[in-house]
Amino acid sequence: MNEINDTFLIGGDLPVHRMGFGAMRLTGPGVWGPPEDESNARAVLRRAVELGVQFIDTADVYGPGDNERLIREALHPYAPGLVIGTKGGLVRSGPATRANPGMSMNGTEAHIRAAVERSLRLLGVERIELYQLHRVDPATPIEETMRVFRTLREEGKIRHIGLSEVSVEQIERARAVVDIATVQNVYSLSARVHGDVLAYCERNDIGFIPFWPLDGGALAQSQEVASLAAARQATPAQASLAWLLRKSPNIILIPGTSSVAHLEENLAARSVVLSEDDLATLEALSIPDSR
Ligand SMILES: NC(=O)c1ccc[n+]([C@@H]2O[C@H](COP(=O)([O-])OP(=O)(O)OC[C@H]3O[C@@H](n4cnc5c(N)ncnc54)[C@H](OP(=O)(O)O)[C@@H]3O)[C@@H](O)[C@H]2O)c1
């Protein structure tokens, strides 16, 4: 099977090519405010769709609001088959820094309802095709938050439901209330964490969306990956993404960039062919996790 060029069915009925795009980098510093060059950001989004991207990941807190607005401005009316996945459940109080992510969690009904209404308006859609809980709120049981998501789905405001940064136990608690279509956890060649979650997703037809697939850009510069990549006429970023595509048929990729050139490079990872030996070589590398 050619696992590089295939499609994943989100929730069993929503097909997307497994090479998507993460839009978070199209914001100001610290994921706060609009990007410095909005016309460049719109160009990146348009080029992504032109090159066949069918899944774009965003969130209400990217900006906040600016990222979803830019997606609408660049791409509305949306191409048939384009899926925009957004997220709610976080509140941002300022730019993110290493010392202070500037975020708190809120999984209450009042917050999630208001967040969905705002995302619907900013994205210019009547229904959000994939709505993800950005983080589990420690003060609100996940079952309670999932009941709100279930009601929003019954009301037709959201279609499929996803989770982010969750354990297998949390996924199982959520699934006791409502179907879970995707899980978005940190995962990359240098951060091979959540292997148990990935295996669980494979067993249960859940899409696994690794965030920071390039380790925030560090893998694009990786000397460890460079020689194998060069032997396959690929860049380290492409080899790192191709490894993820081969790692599991449930993986949907959302590499982020604010540059058309990097976008084109990353999307070309779809046609990088890695052998079984290449996969084993990459698996055996010990690359420092830059988080
Ligand atoms: N669920 C969550 O909590 C969560 C958290 C973080 C992110 N996310 C999602 O995951 C997506 C991906 O994560 P991410 O964007 O933070 O990190 P990433 O995809 O691992 O890396 C993006 C960084 O790498 C650089 N880069 C990308 N392609 C490159 C290339 N070919 N050569 C050199 N540098 C390159 C980008 O800089 P340039 O702009 O200069 O290309 C950017 O700084 C986000 O966009 C967001 O949608 C979700």
Side-chain angles (χ1 to χ4, degrees), residues 1-74:
M1 171 169 78
N2 180 356
E3 289 174 320
I4 304 284
N5 287 312
D6 67 1
T7 289
F8 184 80
L9 281 179
I10 294 178
D13 64 3
L14 188 57
V16 290
H17 192 288
R18 296 198 297 122
M19 178 63 91
F21 174 68
M24 186 186 81
R25 300 281 166 170
L26 306 177
T27 53
V31 199
W32 187 254
E36 205 173 294
D37 184 347
E38 291 210 353
S39 71
N40 169 69
R42 285 189 286 268
V44 170
L45 288 161
R46 291 191 185 117
R47 186 74 179 132
V49 174
E50 215 169 76
L51 291 175
V53 162
Q54 294 178 316
F55 178 65
I56 296 179
D57 181 72
T58 180
D60 60 350
V61 286
Y62 300 166
D66 293 298
N67 203 245
E68 292 177 321
R69 168 184 59 80
L70 273 168
I71 289 172
R72 186 195 68 236
E73 288 173 2

Side-chain angles (χ1 to χ4, degrees), residues 71-258:
I71 289 172
R72 186 195 68 236
E73 288 173 2
L75 301 175
H76 197 278
Y78 299 113
L82 179 65
V83 175
I84 316 282
T86 191
K87 317 183 197 76
L90 280 180
V91 182
R92 238 179 214 291
S93 52
T97 61
R98 267 201 182 262
N100 178 8
M103 291 188 301
S104 57
M105 294 124 185
N106 191 334
T108 61
E109 175 164 15
H111 176 78
I112 297 293
R113 276 200 166 275
V116 165
E117 291 302 334
R118 209 170 37 243
S119 291
L120 286 167
R121 197 179 66 247
L122 285 167
L123 288 170
V125 293
E126 287 182 3
R127 180 177 69 172
I128 294 164
E129 299 299 286
L130 177 66
Y131 195 67
Q132 305 157 93
L133 178 62
H134 210 151
R135 286 289 182 283
V136 177
D137 175 1
T140 311
I142 193 168
E143 290 83 357
E144 198 176 312
T145 306
M146 287 300 107
R147 278 194 287 277
V148 180
F149 275 53
R150 188 179 63 196
T151 306
L152 287 161
R153 195 176 66 178
E154 286 160 6
E155 290 171 5
K157 292 180 191 274
I158 63 177
R159 177 167 171 188
H160 289 301
I161 293 169
L163 302 171
S164 176
E165 274 302 89
V166 282
S167 64
V168 168
E169 191 232 333
Q170 287 171 318
I171 304 170
E172 293 204 310
R173 285 175 57 185
R175 290 180 76 212
V177 179
V178 72
D179 288 342
I180 296 300
T182 59
V183 167
Q184 185 171 145
N185 280 10
V186 66
Y187 196 82
S188 70
L189 203 43
S190 52
R192 273 171 270 163
V193 288
H194 300 301
D196 58 335
V197 174
L198 176 56
Y200 181 89
C201 288
E202 284 179 3
R203 286 197 302 277
N204 292 284
D205 295 328
I206 295 170
F208 183 86
I209 308 174
F211 74 76
W212 291 333
L214 294 172
D215 193 4
L219 285 168
Q221 319 297 336
S222 169
Q223 289 310 308
E224 289 93 337
V225 183
S227 62
L228 182 139
R232 297 286 163 263
Q233 288 79 50
T235 65
Q238 289 170 333
S240 304
L241 295 172
W243 173 79
L244 278 168
L245 282 177
R246 281 292 299 275
K247 179 80 187 159
S248 165
N250 288 53
I251 283 186
I252 303 167
L253 286 186
I254 52 165
T257 179
S258 55

